[in-house]
Amino acid sequence: MDDLSQRFPALRGYTPLQREATEFDLGQIVEFLCAGLFVDDPELFTTFLDWLRVVLATRGVPASTVDLVLDVYEQQLYDFPRAGAHLAAGRGRQALAASPAGGEGRG
């Protein structure tokens, strides 16, 4: 959390409930990363990230914070190239979701 709060200073001002929700989300990212690695399917991970970005937006949290988290995780998992590839795929989806056509047509 320290690395993340340095990159996202607003985290320092979160209420205990907001911190708890953030910690839960961080754990979910790790769980879906592990699941995607286990079944060798980056789409499992990236689809979860798409969903998470929508959830975070409803909470007023910028979707770009997901990239911050992915960067922190990638720094910690530098010895695991498959994990790094999944994390990079998740960042690529961020760029897609931010484009005007991103997310349209999916249902």
Side-chain angles (χ1 to χ4, degrees), residues 39-92:
V39 298
D40 197 24
D41 183 5
E43 186 73 16
L44 176 68
F45 179 60
T46 58
T47 300
F48 164 73
L49 293 176
D50 292 344
W51 173 83
L52 180 61
R53 287 182 179 104
V54 171
V55 170
L56 292 176
T58 64
R59 294 183 194 161
V61 177
S64 61
T65 59
V66 173
D67 276 351
L68 297 175
V69 171
L70 298 180
D71 287 343
V72 170
Y73 284 166
E74 190 167 15
Q75 287 175 357
Q76 299 300 316
L77 298 171
Y78 63 89
D79 277 342
F80 301 93
R82 286 181 55 230
H86 279 58
L87 293 164
R91 277 193 302 282

Side-chain angles (χ1 to χ4, degrees), residues 1-52:
M1 276 297 242
D2 290 339
D3 286 345
L4 189 55
S5 65
Q6 288 176 358
R7 293 171 182 245
F8 187 65
L11 184 62
R12 294 182 199 125
Y14 276 16
T15 67
L17 186 59
Q18 288 172 311
R19 270 187 96 72
E20 183 179 327
T22 300
E23 290 171 3
F24 179 79
D25 293 339
L26 295 174
Q28 290 285 296
I29 293 171
V30 170
E31 288 177 10
F32 274 85
L33 174 60
C34 290
L37 289 167
F38 184 73
V39 298
D40 197 24
D41 183 5
E43 186 73 16
L44 176 68
F45 179 60
T46 58
T47 300
F48 164 73
L49 293 176
D50 292 344
W51 173 83
L52 180 61

